[in-house]
Amino acid sequence: MKVGIIGIGIAGFRTTTPELSWKELTYEAAAKAYQDAGVDPRKDVKAFVTCAEDYWEGFGIFDEFTPDQIGGALRPVCTVCGDGIHGLATGFMQIQTGLVDVVAVEAHSKISDLLTYEGVVQHALDPIWNKPLRGHPFYVAGLEMNAFLRASGNTEKHCAAVVEKNRNNALRNGIAAYGANVDLNDILTSEKAFDPLKKLEISGLADGAVVLVLASDVAAKKLKRKPVWIKGVGWANDSPSLETREWERAKYAELAAQMAYRIAKVKNPAREIDFAEVDDRFSYKELQHLESLGLAKKGQAGKMTANGDTALDGKFPVNASGGSLGCGDVVEASGLHRVAEVALQLRGDAGKRQLDGVKVGIAQSWRGIPTTSGAVAIMGVNQ
Amino acid sequence: MGQTPQKWPGIELSNDDLLNKKVTQTRYHPRAKFSWSAGEAMSRFLNELKEGRLIGRECKHCNKILFPPRMFCEQCFKPTSKWVYIKDTGTIQTYSISYLDKDAKRITNPIYVGVVSIDGASEKMGIMHYFGEVTKDTIHIGMKVKAKWKPPLERTGSILDIEYFRPLKEGEQ
């Protein structure tokens, strides 16, 4: 059975949203998605998936709070404690079973409600091995960047080029919270944070919500919608421990992509896929992910970026949306936002950042430090 | 049926053993502080509490007064339409008498707690709160109650601006 995206709703993104509760923010995205899909959530949507993590929300057992704001009161609802693409995969599978034909997937960030972001990330470290060392948890990104650059041959300048590209792309994206006309020099001279990682190479946090409506091919036809097809999904984790994981490459992204490529029957990703939205919470992550997904040859992602190949008008545009660096890190909504961007591009609805003639796109997510949790979705205009 | 052993094998640990670090341990206090935006609906609700009033939102599509107020109706998924003041009286829907405090310590003066459906709001719309001026013999499901407000200067915009709900007296509104 084919599954496609028939509705897209995005609310935000902004550095803070003091006037709205997380419920009201999510409602805004949901109402937009249902309008876009032309569905009544109370009748047409058969199941609902929320992606959320208790510690981001500040509620225990957050699952309890998910139905109302997405139209899921007294309906089949479940929560995935993971990134939005994990939720997309869940919705995809629910439809594949034949039990339901229309599913809404939601992920949001009200991260401005959390006053101690670093504290929560630090709390994710192993209690016996790592927590006694205290320290800011982002040193994990410094460790990884150092190992990755050394092994791959990509440079700090290449990483800075990622930031320059993404934050400038974001200027063309109405929802982006961190669009800016920064240049290489601004980034390379920004203060050192977790050497070799510099301050401007770290995505800022943002509030926002994303809701997507998925439908089976039959349901989409009945609703008279032209879907963006989900061709394949995949997800994987590397080791949870800092001491036994791959530092040089994103193994989780490699494995997640292998699964998605197998389902989508993609043999040569660099040739068959036209553009990508990949996780760029830290500058080097975009390069590492491109290589792990097989979209750049090992050690070449940096050069591709510096040459402009991944620019809006390049051979293989990456993060046309502006990515997390440009739009803001919306925690669990990050992956779903990228899926939404790929779908908008494939529909031709990406406005000032619309890419020409794109037919197949890939979205990839990473759950951030200290996880090695990744997910991938491949979408196309043709069934 | 298994019998509870009178004495467990091994060496029992006391709380003092832990506190005096006689046991190998690692301690960590997560830093997780939140400051939730109340949002449009709850902000108004909390501000009205300072005035000693309860407010709801009307959903004209469902012909309901939603309380606590929300900006959208979970039944029809449309935005709610207007603010409506409701009363501070209501009916006990359910209650429990707690003989344990929050630390699970036994208490002699029990805590009366329950859900009140508020007059003027739609059915099954209300607030969970304490009950006062009741005994285990007088409190009952269906009892009419009224909010006992704190003095205006002591109100902070919290549901604790209501101290408790007490029985509605005859002739009272």
Side-chain angles (χ1 to χ4, degrees):
Chain A
M1 191 187 304
K2 304 286 180 197
V3 179
I5 297 167
I6 60 164
I8 302 169
I10 301 176
F13 300 162
R14 289 164 52 195
T15 52
T16 177
T17 325
E19 75 281 19
L20 296 177
S21 69
W22 56 271
K23 281 189 191 182
E24 291 162 358
L25 183 67
T26 305
Y27 172 75
E28 190 183 320
K32 285 179 182 172
Y34 300 139
Q35 165 71 27
D36 186 43
V39 296
D40 176 350
R42 306 296 292 146
K43 285 205 310 263
D44 304 321
V45 180
K46 302 296 167 32
F48 301 80
V49 181
T50 283
C51 306
E53 154 66 50
D54 290 5
Y55 263 104
W56 295 144
E57 311 294 340
F59 296 82
I61 318 178
F62 183 73
D63 176 54
E64 196 70 5
F65 296 88
T66 58
D68 292 8
Q69 58 278 7
I70 51 174
L74 304 171
R75 305 290 299 285
V77 172
C78 75
T79 304
V80 172
C81 183
D83 171 79
I85 298 184
H86 291 113
L88 184 89
T90 303
F92 176 84
M93 290 188 288
Q94 287 186 357
I95 293 175
Q96 292 273 354
T97 63
L99 281 176
V100 290
D101 58 359
V102 180
V103 175
V105 182
E106 177 265 319
H108 63 271
S109 159
K110 197 64 164 60
I111 203 73
S112 66
D113 283 354
L114 172 59
L115 302 179
T116 54
Y117 174 77
E118 291 80 8
V120 168
V121 178
Q122 189 182 59
H123 190 36
L125 292 166
D126 186 280
I128 293 169
W129 280 105
N130 306 131
K131 277 205 182 95
L133 297 171
R134 300 289 193 265
H136 194 292
F138 279 16
Y139 58 62
V140 175
L143 301 177
E144 188 179 46
M145 182 174 180
N146 203 7
F148 167 68
L149 293 187
R150 175 72 69 91
S152 67
N154 291 302
T155 66
E156 290 186 42
K157 208 171 163 185
H158 292 147
C159 295
V162 170
V163 183
E164 182 186 36
K165 169 179 67 72
N166 292 359
R167 293 196 66 182
N168 277 280
N169 283 355
L171 289 172
R172 294 164 181 256
N173 188 348
I175 64 152
Y178 292 93
N181 60 346
V182 290
D183 62 26
L184 275 186
N185 194 44
D186 295 332
I187 297 143
L188 286 167
T189 58
S190 72
E191 64 193 81
K192 284 188 176 174
F194 307 92
D195 193 50
L197 194 66
K198 289 164 280 296
K199 194 167 172 239
L200 285 185
E201 294 181 292
I202 303 171
S203 294
L205 296 166
D207 292 347
V210 182
V211 175
L212 299 180
V213 183
L214 314 185
S216 68
D217 44 1
V218 177
K221 201 168 180 186
K222 219 184 296 172
L223 291 162
K224 299 190 175 69
R225 282 298 186 276
K226 194 165 175 262
V228 166
W229 300 104
I230 301 170
K231 319 276 285 181
V233 290
W235 60 95
N237 283 42
D238 191 355
S239 165
S241 97
L242 297 179
E243 295 79 5
T244 56
R245 62 174 58 174
E246 296 266 4
W247 289 104
E248 295 82 8
R249 51 207 263 246
K251 186 80 179 163
Y252 56 87
E254 280 178 34
L255 296 171
Q258 276 169 24
M259 176 176 170
Y261 293 153
R262 176 166 48 80
I263 296 168
K265 298 188 176 66
V266 169
K267 300 268 180 318
N268 184 335
R271 201 175 307 152
E272 294 171 50
I273 297 172
D274 302 321
F275 69 108
E277 287 282 329
V278 302
D279 187 278
D280 63 332
R281 279 199 173 84
F282 305 102
S283 60
Y284 71 92
K285 273 293 186 187
E286 176 167 318
L287 305 178
Q288 188 193 40
H289 286 145
L290 284 175
E291 294 181 9
S292 299
L293 297 170
L295 300 168
K297 291 204 181 89
K298 298 285 171 209
Q300 297 300 307
K303 278 181 206 138
M304 270 174 72
T305 310
N307 291 344
D309 292 347
T310 59
L312 280 182
D313 57 355
K315 280 188 279 196
F316 188 84
V318 177
N319 289 334
S321 65
S324 292
L325 286 162
C327 296
D329 175 351
V330 286
V331 292
E332 309 302 5
S334 297
L336 210 57
H337 166 227
R338 305 316 187 73
V339 171
E341 174 71 11
V342 170
L344 286 171
Q345 291 284 358
L346 292 172
R347 292 201 323 198
D349 287 340
K352 280 194 231 171
R353 60 188 191 287
Q354 180 63 50
L355 306 171
D356 286 339
V358 285
K359 292 203 165 55
V360 181
I362 184 171
Q364 176 259 331
S365 66
W366 168 54
R367 263 192 103 200
I369 281 178
T371 79
T372 54
S373 171
V376 165
I378 298 158
M379 285 150 276
V381 287
N382 299 318
Q383 238 178 351
Chain B
M1 271 220 306
Q3 274 190 328
T4 308
Q6 292 303 303
K7 190 164 167 41
W8 296 93
I11 303 159
E12 267 185 46
L13 290 178
S14 71
N15 196 37
D16 281 346
D17 291 337
L18 287 165
L19 289 176
N20 298 330
K21 303 203 171 164
K22 286 188 182 163
V23 182
T24 304
Q25 59 190 288
T26 176
R27 283 180 176 244
Y28 180 78
H29 298 279
R31 287 182 298 120
K33 289 191 176 151
F34 299 85
S35 164
W36 298 280
S37 305
E40 214 176 337
M42 290 313 278
S43 296
R44 174 80 187 261
F45 168 74
L46 295 172
N47 279 322
E48 292 289 350
L49 288 177
K50 288 190 207 167
E51 308 300 321
R53 294 189 294 234
L54 298 181
I55 197 163
R57 288 281 293 178
E58 182 193 75
C59 173
K60 64 177 181 192
H61 302 97
C62 298
N63 198 22
K64 274 186 172 178
I65 306 296
L66 308 180
F67 179 80
R70 41 256 206 204
M71 301 314 291
F72 57 87
C73 170
E74 70 274 17
Q75 274 311 321
C76 66
F77 210 63
K78 297 218 166 72
T80 50
S81 15
K82 68 173 189 201
W83 294 102
V84 182
Y85 287 111
I86 56 175
K87 297 173 87 169
D88 68 348
T89 58
T91 308
I92 296 181
Q93 283 209 335
T94 185
Y95 69 92
S96 182
I97 306 173
S98 177
Y99 292 93
L100 299 176
D101 73 3
K102 65 180 165 55
D103 297 325
K105 276 203 228 73
R106 197 146 276 283
I107 43 178
T108 42
N109 287 328
I111 300 164
Y112 297 84
V113 63
V115 173
V116 181
S117 60
I118 299 289
D119 293 333
S122 291
E123 213 187 330
K124 311 266 182 206
M125 301 272 175
I127 188 166
M128 171 145 163
H129 223 292
Y130 299 124
F131 299 111
E133 303 170 36
V134 291
T135 68
K136 65 180 169 41
D137 299 318
T138 60
I139 191 168
H140 57 273
I141 288 177
M143 187 182 220
K144 294 294 291 177
V145 289
K146 184 173 173 67
K148 164 86 165 58
W149 294 90
K150 278 186 183 163
L153 288 175
E154 289 174 31
R155 293 180 201 149
T156 59
S158 152
I159 62 157
L160 296 179
D161 290 349
I162 295 172
E163 280 180 59
Y164 53 78
F165 281 82
R166 56 153 179 87
L168 187 71
K169 292 165 193 154
E170 260 197 48
E172 220 179 15
Q173 291 220 318

